[in-house]
Amino acid sequence: MVLEKKLADDGPSTVTPWSILLKRENHIVNQETLISSEDAGSLEAIKKSGLCYDPRMRFHATLNEVDDHPEDPRRVLRVFEAIRKAGYVSNTPSPADAFLRLPSREATLEELLRVHTPEMYEKIIKTELMSREDLANLEKISDSLYFNNESAFCARLACGSAIETCAAVVTGKVKNAFAVVRPPGHHAEPHKPGGFCLFNNVSVAARSMLQRYPDKVKRILIVDWDVHHGNGTQMAFYDDPNVLYISLHRYEQGRFYPGTVYGCAENCGEGAGLGRTVNIPWPCSGMGDGDYIYAFQRVVMPIAYEFQPDLVIISSGFDAAAGDHIGQCLVTPAAYAHMTQMLMGLADGKVFASLEGGYSLDAISVSALAVAQSLIGLPPGRLHMVYASRHAVETVDKVTEIQSQFWRCMRPKYISANPENAHVSRLHDIIRSYQAKKLFEDWKITNLPILRDSLSETFANQTLCSNDFFQKDVLVVLIHEAPLVLGDGKKDTNALSTSDSLLVDPGSLYIEWAMQQNFGLIDINIPEVVTGENKPYNMHEETKKLCTYIWDNYIELTSARNVFFVASGKAVEGIIHLIASRNVTKTVRCIVNFFGSEPLTGLKTASEDDLPGWYFRHSLVFVRSSDDCWKKPKKNKRRYGRLMQSEHDSATNMLEHHYRAVTQYFTHLLKKNDSS
Amino acid sequence: MVLEKKLADDGPSTVTPWSILLKRENHIVNQETLISSEDAGSLEAIKKSGLCYDPRMRFHATLNEVDDHPEDPRRVLRVFEAIRKAGYVSNTPSPADAFLRLPSREATLEELLRVHTPEMYEKIIKTELMSREDLANLEKISDSLYFNNESAFCARLACGSAIETCAAVVTGKVKNAFAVVRPPGHHAEPHKPGGFCLFNNVSVAARSMLQRYPDKVKRILIVDWDVHHGNGTQMAFYDDPNVLYISLHRYEQGRFYPGTVYGCAENCGEGAGLGRTVNIPWPCSGMGDGDYIYAFQRVVMPIAYEFQPDLVIISSGFDAAAGDHIGQCLVTPAAYAHMTQMLMGLADGKVFASLEGGYSLDAISVSALAVAQSLIGLPPGRLHMVYASRHAVETVDKVTEIQSQFWRCMRPKYISANPENAHVSRLHDIIRSYQAKKLFEDWKITNLPILRDSLSETFANQTLCSNDFFQKDVLVVLIHEAPLVLGDGKKDTNALSTSDSLLVDPGSLYIEWAMQQNFGLIDINIPEVVTGENKPYNMHEETKKLCTYIWDNYIELTSARNVFFVASGKAVEGIIHLIASRNVTKTVRCIVNFFGSEPLTGLKTASEDDLPGWYFRHSLVFVRSSDDCWKKPKKNKRRYGRLMQSEHDSATNMLEHHYRAVTQYFTHLLKKNDSS
């Protein structure tokens, strides 16, 4: 203990020759003597948390003296110092310490072989006696690894310390514990090291607990919040029903380290372990507190409660912390404290955190301190951002969908079907077919042929017209997205109650009005996806093409001297494009555009013939009140048309609620026309 | 303190005359002297939890000596004793106590008027000097209240103690606290007492904190897990944006006490307080740990994190506890500990619990002890049942739907539409219309007239037939529920992506097969709800009627000598009824029944003509492998038909996956028929 204290005070140092001697001293450990009894200790002791830190773990260092490797030997010292300076542990143990200092030791061969292959063990042990040159060569051919002659010792020490610290939690010597160890472990697979990791500390500790304390530990939850996927840990327990591995990590479709798709949401374990791997793969950097808390509330904690672990192990990397340049995420110390506090509700509070990655010395210090504070019972600090980003919501939804196969708490339960099967149809085809049938029955409205090759397939059944539109003086052209379908409120599965699900189609109000007035009508539906087509479909471009096609081939050739356009949502772009590219001013009386969630757009440039002026005089452009245009007035305002504020914020709602105003305005314009 | 100790040791007692003198001693309190400074206290003190208990609160008792009133004076003593016996507090305060004993005091008039009206205050104070007879009369005309001359004093004492204990948490004198007080408060409305409650302790405490500590306390969360709705508390803060009231309570459509619909999920606050009331109204008794944990994980904690309170107050009734005969729910001490632990993650750990109802002396003791243990930092015990019941899932879904208007974390966001509007259609009508159109186009299948009055409306568009079915030798009759519609995976709103939503209609496979074989066909769709009808629709009865109607009016009159039935889901009942009530054995070759989630049923009785034997020889009855019939074989097995085990568990899946087997079997039977 005296020597250990001395080392701690030394601060960072290089490898010293006596370390080799030193480490031999406790190479062989009788693990039974370390935790001498199964008793819970005194009332005073049970209230303490445990902390394991051994300055000898610094010995593992890169041989490259000019290169600052991110897996820096000072990492463990800085974490320990942060906790020591906060007054929770001292170099000379005292009863006033919140943490009980726990002894370190090396892992035994037997323990390591519970997870790793003998070949892998051999490969790492060999480095103890390798020459500098051989070590440098080995580094070159390895996957993100470096070695010196102390590496194997440090790896055994990190792993053995993790085991023993974890055992202190299981046996009740401490209520929970934190092992400040390096090298990290979660990338070390059973048969190969990688990603700065030599032995998989957490996996070996978990296996050892299941083996040593079969009565106390039947099920272990490992939560891995290191920013990287713990491929090694996932692999070690992929078919094990008794170890639930939950990882939150930057994934980016497998591009982020470890650079494979192994950490995808769809990988859920196999065999008896099916459903015992839960990957929450973030699609990008920049994930923060709101995202992690959301994932914990929606997925991690519900599944953890259902799993009912006897022990919780945190693979506690801090590279998702704000300030870590490798992780590039934004998790604050308060969020780490909250996640720890939530996990402390499980397993009778038996939580063991083991340091993994985290490469900003400042960020890991404050983050680890926050975890330590939660462990000793201090309330977690306040969070400032508790909203989940769209990325988090989408990821969590996907994980929920996948995990709903395995966990009762994950709802709704997803039923899947293959749209390629003959007896499976897409809802948007069904709805358009229904509309066509109904419009034909009610008003003899039929299909309008679209004969241009590139358009024909896409819009074949999407464009309808009244049977005599060619001869009418007044022509109403509706152009809109597919109508809204609202699923019913049942959330137990994704199977809808079709009697409670509703189709909301305000376009039908305009059609009915036009038919009752005996006007001509063209109704254009812009589909979001085209059934049966494999080529990419650019909705914006196709919509523009379609508008000019219909103008050139139909509208311009009709007898109509009064053309009215009503466009909504994404279809608005097509109309604005049409105004700019064709001479529509002679017959078009009015254009009504409903911007829903789309940003307000206008005519691109002021042309010589004052087209913006014409557009302004011949339009009603409905924009939601929350749009920026109401706060900061636009320049060249007229090119946006005559702006009307709408209290509704979707194009469907606007179509519905402004129906009377729009049709009355059309009627007014027609009367004015007649009288002039 | 000596006297107080004596009282505590006394156990339950009746009102003693000197209590009147005693209470005068500290009637006038300078509240500033009680918490003398804003300092957080020593490091030792900050780690302690606070406990307030004053045996004088027993003085409030019913005058009726033979009646054991559930709001029993011993309640507070039993709770205190449970915590004392566990060693967390002692009668003589000691530094080893986990709880710091906090002083009691009476609430001042000024404080009470922050919530209550002067008239109500007067009404209660008057009881101090009323005669026994007048008190008895008052009890008769009151809503679940009793009074003696000490009632007003006890009510002031309970309320003042709640205020002061809460202040000790806010100022940091203790980290959190528990006020073991009575009479309870949450039913006391601003203008009237009720439901055993005189003054609303928690509401007055909350208002006082906002007033006394405006810099420290800007937002308060009140979680009310008393089994009854806290109508008084909801009313006190209904328009207050700074106090979020969340209540979990037995509701039963307003039938459970307080017996109004005020605690319904739709009541969310008003004015500035809109969205600041969250009611989680259980539809029945028997709610347990899994239900409460589910509600906490899905609603309470996400909303609480988004609200970011500065203080959490628990209206901690224990009448939802297992063993409470009034509440009739099943919440265990472990669940109370978990809920407390979860809330301790909020507001820098500033949690104040105040006793409300709970009428089993044993249940409140163990439940309160569990809350106390969480407060002092002990890990919550293990839960044994963490699955939410269907009632909880449905209630939480409804609450989520409603609260999604106010809280970003509540997803999906619901969009509503009125099915009565002309431009709104029900999906099931759309789908049947689509199917009819497609079947006509593909196979000239048309509507089969159903002319009996009671059936005609219901099944008008639900029964189809091939145009020449009358003349065919082979007739296939399909009878099934509406096909499955799977909503797409987007969960941000209930608006479906229609291109990703799928209609799964395995019945179409059988139709196609029958048409290709040139057989006759009748296709019967059993709707779950009938559009446009207001009268109740009994699906089972209507289905039975329809099957016999079609038999009598069509099938029996056709030329078909080979009739095949394929029935699935709820439609199966109709076929079984038909076999029993008509002589079908002459022409029916085979009946295929797919039981989905429905319980297996068979022919009711063995008739003389061995109908069960005939059914057994002429049927295939598919039953999911998880059905009990595979474990415990049924008696009179033949009356269930020829049972076939299916690995699928919905009728739709069975229809789809056994399609080949069924149609091949039909072909085989027909060949056998031909050759015989």
Side-chain angles (χ1 to χ4, degrees):
Chain A
M1 188 52 87
V2 173
L3 181 60
E4 199 173 322
K5 180 178 179 311
K6 188 178 171 310
L7 283 167
D9 291 344
D10 278 351
S13 83
T14 52
V15 179
T16 48
W18 42 258
S19 70
I20 292 171
L21 190 66
L22 189 72
K23 74 193 182 192
R24 298 299 167 214
E25 288 176 9
N26 68 355
H27 189 98
I28 291 146
V29 175
N30 177 349
Q31 63 188 39
E32 296 315 311
T33 61
L34 274 158
I35 303 294
S36 55
S37 72
E38 302 277 291
D39 72 344
S42 70
L43 189 67
E44 204 53 46
I46 203 173
K47 286 181 187 165
K48 290 218 179 192
S49 298
L51 184 85
C52 180
Y53 164 69
D54 186 329
R56 292 176 297 169
M57 288 179 203
R58 277 174 336 192
F59 299 161
H60 169 58
T62 172
L63 294 169
N64 185 337
E65 280 161 27
V66 290
D67 179 30
D68 267 343
H69 194 278
E71 212 283 88
D72 185 306
R74 289 170 297 176
R75 294 171 63 248
V76 283
L77 176 70
R78 284 290 299 274
V79 167
F80 177 75
E81 283 295 288
I83 298 170
R84 192 185 64 77
K85 284 179 187 158
Y88 304 136
V89 69
S90 41
N91 282 317
T92 326
S94 130
D97 292 349
F99 278 103
L100 181 70
R101 190 79 182 269
L102 297 170
S104 65
R105 70 152 169 100
E106 291 172 69
T108 64
L109 173 60
E110 187 195 341
E111 288 168 335
L112 291 168
L113 293 188
R114 281 178 190 147
V115 167
H116 297 289
T117 59
E119 295 72 28
M120 161 162 169
Y121 176 80
E122 278 305 320
K123 210 182 284 178
I124 289 173
I125 294 305
K126 260 202 263 177
T127 62
E128 292 190 292
L129 302 169
M130 275 165 86
S131 70
R132 231 183 134 82
E133 201 187 340
D134 286 349
L135 289 170
N137 284 333
L138 182 61
E139 180 172 339
K140 277 182 204 145
I141 60 163
S142 299
D143 164 26
S144 310
L145 289 173
Y146 61 74
F147 292 96
N148 64 11
N149 293 132
E150 314 301 320
S151 298
F153 164 66
C154 285
R156 281 197 304 273
L157 194 57
C159 191
S161 299
I163 298 168
E164 222 45 55
T165 308
C166 194
V169 175
V170 169
T171 56
K173 185 178 175 185
V174 291
K175 66 171 178 177
N176 53 38
F178 193 1
V180 185
V181 297
R182 72 177 283 273
H186 75 146
H187 293 307
E189 297 181 352
H191 58 287
K192 80 172 190 333
F196 314 161
C197 302
L198 301 183
F199 296 125
N200 196 316
N201 310 320
V202 155
S203 295
V204 174
R207 269 278 153 69
S208 298
M209 294 309 108
L210 291 169
Q211 207 124 0
R212 269 165 74 174
Y213 306 107
D215 292 339
K216 287 177 193 282
V217 183
K218 296 188 197 314
R219 283 185 307 280
I220 299 177
L221 164 64
I222 300 176
V223 175
D224 186 339
W225 63 45
D226 188 286
V227 81
H228 301 98
H229 179 240
N231 52 304
T233 312
Q234 173 169 313
M235 198 176 286
F237 301 107
Y238 207 57
D239 61 355
D240 189 335
N242 302 315
V243 178
L244 168 60
Y245 177 70
I246 304 183
S247 174
L248 305 100
H249 52 272
R250 245 179 97 180
Y251 176 64
E252 296 175 14
Q253 246 108 19
R255 290 190 304 274
F256 198 64
Y257 191 85
T260 70
V261 296
Y262 191 54
C264 67
E266 290 79 5
N267 279 358
C268 304
E270 65 185 12
L274 190 61
R276 294 292 194 257
T277 291
V278 178
N279 282 317
I280 303 172
W282 301 134
C284 55
S285 62
M287 305 305 281
D289 293 1
D291 306 315
Y292 277 79
I293 297 298
Y294 188 75
F296 260 66
Q297 289 181 333
R298 284 268 179 161
V299 175
V300 180
M301 296 311 298
I303 289 181
Y305 265 78
E306 186 168 335
F307 180 62
Q308 299 201 57
D310 302 309
L311 170 68
V312 177
I313 301 182
I314 307 174
S315 247
S316 186
F318 295 114
D319 35 11
D324 191 292
H325 294 303
I326 291 181
Q328 295 173 302
C329 284
L330 301 166
V331 180
T332 68
Y336 284 113
H338 276 273
M339 294 190 287
T340 307
Q341 196 265 349
M342 289 188 207
L343 294 173
M344 285 167 65
L346 301 162
D348 296 310
K350 293 189 181 300
V351 173
F352 161 60
S354 189
L355 186 66
E356 297 280 0
Y359 308 104
S360 154
L361 295 176
D362 290 335
I364 62 170
S365 304
V366 290
S367 304
L369 179 60
V371 169
Q373 286 171 326
S374 277
L375 290 176
I376 62 174
L378 293 178
R382 301 289 278 272
L383 292 167
H384 296 288
M385 216 292 285
V386 287
Y387 300 123
S389 66
R390 188 175 53 82
H391 297 302
V393 171
E394 286 172 4
T395 305
V396 164
D397 277 351
K398 189 179 178 187
V399 173
T400 304
E401 176 170 342
I402 293 165
Q403 295 295 336
S404 72
Q405 300 169 76
F406 313 112
W407 301 96
R408 277 173 68 167
C409 61
M410 292 288 100
R411 288 195 170 83
K413 301 288 172 203
Y414 283 88
I415 304 167
S416 61
N418 182 357
E420 306 300 315
N421 283 345
H423 64 287
V424 177
S425 322
R426 287 190 196 269
L427 199 52
H428 78 155
D429 295 329
I430 293 170
I431 287 166
R432 197 60 184 164
S433 153
Y434 162 82
Q435 289 176 313
K437 183 183 177 210
K438 192 163 185 304
L439 291 173
F440 179 78
E441 285 169 2
D442 292 351
W443 311 107
K444 297 276 174 277
I445 287 170
T446 55
N447 216 14
L448 183 73
I450 306 289
L451 299 173
R452 210 174 104 178
D453 257 11
S454 65
L455 287 170
S456 56
E457 296 170 49
T458 311
F459 292 103
N461 296 304
Q462 309 293 341
T463 309
L464 306 173
C465 59
S466 60
N467 70 340
D468 50 1
F469 80 96
F470 237 83
Q471 307 150 28
K472 300 286 180 178
D473 181 60
V474 180
L475 178 64
V476 177
V477 183
L478 294 175
I479 173 160
H480 52 81
E481 296 165 53
L484 203 60
V485 179
L486 302 177
D488 78 322
K490 263 203 278 179
K491 278 162 288 296
D492 208 46
T493 70
N494 59 331
L496 303 179
S497 155
T498 53
S499 48
D500 294 330
S501 299
L502 303 173
L503 173 76
V504 182
D505 183 19
S508 65
L509 297 169
Y510 295 80
I511 293 175
E512 195 179 346
W513 170 78
M515 294 297 95
Q516 282 168 346
Q517 305 292 319
N518 199 21
F519 297 155
L521 176 91
I522 294 176
D523 178 49
I524 304 165
N525 191 52
I526 309 282
E528 281 220 50
V529 172
V530 181
T531 304
E533 278 190 55
N534 290 323
K535 59 180 178 182
Y537 159 58
N538 182 328
M539 194 191 200
H540 278 288
E541 284 313 306
E542 294 289 307
T543 305
K544 286 179 189 172
K545 269 195 234 165
L546 180 72
C547 287
T548 51
Y549 175 90
I550 289 181
W551 178 265
D552 294 344
N553 292 278
Y554 292 107
I555 304 174
E556 204 174 24
L557 310 178
T558 64
S559 327
R561 287 173 309 141
N562 297 287
V563 177
F564 293 92
F565 279 105
V566 179
S568 70
K570 294 192 182 116
V572 164
E573 284 280 0
I575 295 299
I576 289 176
H577 176 258
L578 177 69
I579 303 169
S581 57
R582 293 293 185 275
N583 181 9
V584 302
T585 60
K586 234 172 28 185
T587 53
V588 172
R589 282 299 144 256
C590 188
I591 291 164
V592 176
N593 283 334
F594 292 106
F595 283 88
S597 49
E598 297 73 25
L600 174 63
T601 52
L603 291 167
K604 282 290 168 282
T605 50
S607 58
E608 285 176 24
D609 54 1
D610 190 26
L611 200 58
W614 178 88
Y615 180 42
F616 180 73
R617 289 188 304 275
H618 294 84
S619 65
L620 297 178
V621 177
F622 289 87
V623 182
R624 64 187 196 279
S625 355
S626 58
D627 194 280
D628 277 345
C629 76
W630 303 113
K631 284 171 226 147
K632 304 183 275 190
K634 300 269 190 188
K635 281 181 198 170
N636 300 325
K637 224 175 145 181
R638 287 148 57 99
R639 70 190 182 89
Y640 293 97
R642 191 187 299 271
L643 298 186
M644 313 284 290
Q645 199 161 341
S646 172
E647 69 272 35
H648 301 284
D649 53 6
S650 80
T652 301
N653 273 350
M654 289 182 187
L655 260 181
E656 175 179 346
H657 287 97
H658 303 304
Y659 152 68
R660 247 165 240 291
V662 166
T663 51
Q664 280 169 6
Y665 185 64
F666 287 175
T667 308
H668 161 77
L669 289 177
L670 285 169
K671 279 196 188 135
K672 211 173 97 182
N673 216 30
D674 284 349
S675 59
S676 69
Chain B
M1 189 52 86
V2 173
L3 182 58
E4 198 174 323
K5 180 177 182 309
K6 186 177 172 305
L7 283 166
D9 291 345
D10 276 352
S13 83
T14 53
V15 179
T16 49
W18 43 258
S19 69
I20 292 170
L21 189 68
L22 187 74
K23 75 192 180 192
R24 297 299 165 212
E25 287 177 11
N26 69 356
H27 187 98
I28 291 145
V29 175
N30 177 352
Q31 66 188 36
E32 295 315 311
T33 60
L34 274 159
I35 302 296
S36 57
S37 70
E38 302 280 287
D39 72 344
S42 69
L43 189 68
E44 204 53 45
I46 204 172
K47 286 179 186 165
K48 290 220 177 189
S49 299
L51 183 85
C52 181
Y53 164 68
D54 185 329
R56 292 176 298 167
M57 288 179 204
R58 275 174 336 190
F59 299 162
H60 169 59
T62 172
L63 294 169
N64 185 338
E65 281 161 27
V66 290
D67 179 31
D68 267 343
H69 195 280
E71 211 283 87
D72 185 306
R74 290 170 296 176
R75 293 171 63 248
V76 284
L77 175 72
R78 284 290 301 273
V79 167
F80 177 77
E81 283 295 287
I83 298 170
R84 191 185 65 76
K85 282 179 187 155
Y88 305 135
V89 69
S90 39
N91 283 317
T92 327
S94 128
D97 291 349
F99 277 102
L100 182 69
R101 189 77 182 270
L102 296 170
S104 64
R105 70 152 169 101
E106 290 173 69
T108 65
L109 174 61
E110 187 195 340
E111 288 167 336
L112 291 169
L113 293 187
R114 279 178 190 147
V115 167
H116 296 290
T117 60
E119 295 72 28
M120 160 162 170
Y121 176 79
E122 279 305 318
K123 208 181 288 177
I124 289 173
I125 294 304
K126 260 200 265 178
T127 62
E128 292 190 292
L129 302 168
M130 276 165 86
S131 69
R132 230 184 135 83
E133 200 188 341
D134 287 348
L135 288 170
N137 285 332
L138 182 61
E139 180 173 338
K140 276 180 204 147
I141 60 164
S142 300
D143 164 28
S144 310
L145 289 174
Y146 61 74
F147 294 96
N148 64 9
N149 293 132
E150 315 302 319
S151 298
F153 164 67
C154 286
R156 281 196 305 272
L157 194 57
C159 191
S161 299
I163 298 169
E164 222 45 56
T165 308
C166 193
V169 174
V170 170
T171 57
K173 186 177 174 186
V174 291
K175 66 171 180 178
N176 52 38
F178 193 1
V180 185
V181 297
R182 74 177 282 274
H186 75 148
H187 293 308
E189 296 182 353
H191 58 287
K192 79 173 196 320
F196 315 161
C197 301
L198 300 182
F199 297 123
N200 195 316
N201 310 319
V202 154
S203 295
V204 174
R207 268 280 153 69
S208 299
M209 295 307 108
L210 291 168
Q211 206 124 359
R212 268 165 75 174
Y213 307 105
D215 293 339
K216 287 177 192 283
V217 183
K218 296 188 197 314
R219 282 186 307 280
I220 299 177
L221 164 64
I222 300 176
V223 174
D224 186 339
W225 65 44
D226 187 285
V227 81
H228 302 98
H229 179 241
N231 52 304
T233 312
Q234 173 169 313
M235 198 176 285
F237 302 107
Y238 206 56
D239 60 356
D240 189 335
N242 302 316
V243 178
L244 169 60
Y245 177 70
I246 305 182
S247 175
L248 305 101
H249 52 274
R250 244 180 98 180
Y251 176 64
E252 297 176 16
Q253 246 109 17
R255 289 190 305 273
F256 198 63
Y257 191 87
T260 72
V261 296
Y262 192 54
C264 67
E266 290 79 5
N267 280 358
C268 304
E270 65 187 10
L274 191 61
R276 294 292 193 258
T277 291
V278 178
N279 281 319
I280 303 172
W282 300 135
C284 55
S285 62
M287 306 304 282
D289 293 1
D291 306 315
Y292 277 79
I293 297 299
Y294 188 74
F296 261 66
Q297 289 181 333
R298 283 266 178 163
V299 175
V300 181
M301 295 314 297
I303 288 181
Y305 265 78
E306 187 168 333
F307 180 62
Q308 298 203 57
D310 302 310
L311 171 67
V312 177
I313 300 181
I314 307 174
S315 247
S316 187
F318 295 114
D319 35 11
D324 190 292
H325 294 303
I326 290 181
Q328 295 173 303
C329 284
L330 303 165
V331 179
T332 67
Y336 285 114
H338 275 273
M339 294 191 286
T340 307
Q341 195 266 348
M342 289 188 206
L343 294 173
M344 285 167 66
L346 300 162
D348 295 311
K350 293 188 182 303
V351 173
F352 162 60
S354 189
L355 186 66
E356 298 279 2
Y359 308 103
S360 154
L361 294 175
D362 290 335
I364 63 170
S365 305
V366 290
S367 304
L369 180 61
V371 169
Q373 286 170 326
S374 277
L375 289 175
I376 62 174
L378 292 177
R382 301 290 277 274
L383 293 167
H384 296 288
M385 215 291 285
V386 287
Y387 300 122
S389 67
R390 187 175 54 81
H391 297 301
V393 171
E394 285 172 5
T395 305
V396 165
D397 278 351
K398 189 180 179 188
V399 173
T400 304
E401 176 171 341
I402 292 165
Q403 296 295 336
S404 72
Q405 301 170 75
F406 312 113
W407 300 97
R408 277 173 69 167
C409 60
M410 291 288 100
R411 288 196 170 81
K413 301 288 172 203
Y414 283 88
I415 305 169
S416 61
N418 182 356
E420 305 299 314
N421 283 344
H423 64 287
V424 177
S425 323
R426 286 190 198 268
L427 199 52
H428 80 153
D429 295 329
I430 294 172
I431 287 167
R432 197 59 184 164
S433 154
Y434 162 83
Q435 289 177 313
K437 184 181 175 209
K438 192 162 184 305
L439 291 173
F440 180 78
E441 285 169 2
D442 292 353
W443 311 106
K444 297 276 174 277
I445 288 171
T446 56
N447 215 15
L448 183 73
I450 306 289
L451 298 174
R452 209 173 106 177
D453 257 10
S454 65
L455 285 170
S456 56
E457 295 170 50
T458 311
F459 292 103
N461 295 304
Q462 309 292 342
T463 310
L464 305 173
C465 59
S466 60
N467 68 340
D468 50 0
F469 80 96
F470 238 82
Q471 306 150 29
K472 300 287 181 178
D473 182 61
V474 180
L475 178 64
V476 177
V477 182
L478 294 175
I479 173 160
H480 52 81
E481 295 165 55
L484 203 59
V485 179
L486 302 177
D488 77 323
K490 263 203 276 178
K491 278 161 289 296
D492 209 44
T493 70
N494 59 331
L496 302 179
S497 155
T498 53
S499 48
D500 294 330
S501 298
L502 303 173
L503 173 76
V504 182
D505 183 20
S508 65
L509 297 169
Y510 294 79
I511 294 175
E512 195 179 347
W513 170 78
M515 293 298 94
Q516 281 167 347
Q517 306 291 318
N518 200 21
F519 296 156
L521 176 90
I522 295 176
D523 178 48
I524 305 166
N525 191 52
I526 309 282
E528 281 221 49
V529 172
V530 181
T531 304
E533 279 189 55
N534 290 323
K535 57 180 181 182
Y537 159 60
N538 183 328
M539 193 190 203
H540 278 288
E541 283 313 305
E542 295 288 307
T543 305
K544 286 180 188 171
K545 271 194 234 163
L546 181 72
C547 287
T548 50
Y549 175 90
I550 289 181
W551 178 264
D552 295 342
N553 292 279
Y554 293 109
I555 305 175
E556 204 174 23
L557 312 176
T558 64
S559 327
R561 287 174 307 143
N562 297 286
V563 177
F564 294 93
F565 280 105
V566 179
S568 70
K570 296 195 180 109
V572 165
E573 284 281 358
I575 295 300
I576 290 176
H577 175 258
L578 177 69
I579 303 169
S581 56
R582 294 293 185 273
N583 182 9
V584 302
T585 59
K586 235 174 26 188
T587 53
V588 172
R589 282 298 145 261
C590 187
I591 292 164
V592 176
N593 283 334
F594 293 106
F595 284 88
S597 49
E598 297 74 24
L600 174 62
T601 52
L603 290 167
K604 285 288 168 284
T605 50
S607 57
E608 285 176 22
D609 53 0
D610 191 28
L611 202 57
W614 177 87
Y615 180 42
F616 180 74
R617 288 189 305 276
H618 294 84
S619 66
L620 297 177
V621 177
F622 289 87
V623 182
R624 62 187 198 278
S625 350
S626 58
D627 194 282
D628 277 345
C629 75
W630 302 114
K631 285 169 225 148
K632 304 182 274 188
K634 300 267 189 189
K635 280 181 199 170
N636 300 323
K637 225 175 147 182
R638 286 149 55 102
R639 69 190 183 90
Y640 293 97
R642 190 186 299 271
L643 298 186
M644 313 284 289
Q645 199 161 341
S646 172
E647 70 272 35
H648 302 283
D649 52 9
S650 79
T652 302
N653 273 350
M654 289 183 188
L655 260 180
E656 175 179 345
H657 288 96
H658 302 304
Y659 152 69
R660 248 167 239 292
V662 167
T663 51
Q664 279 169 6
Y665 184 63
F666 286 174
T667 308
H668 161 77
L669 290 178
L670 286 169
K671 278 197 190 135
K672 210 173 100 183
N673 217 29
D674 284 349
S675 58
S676 69

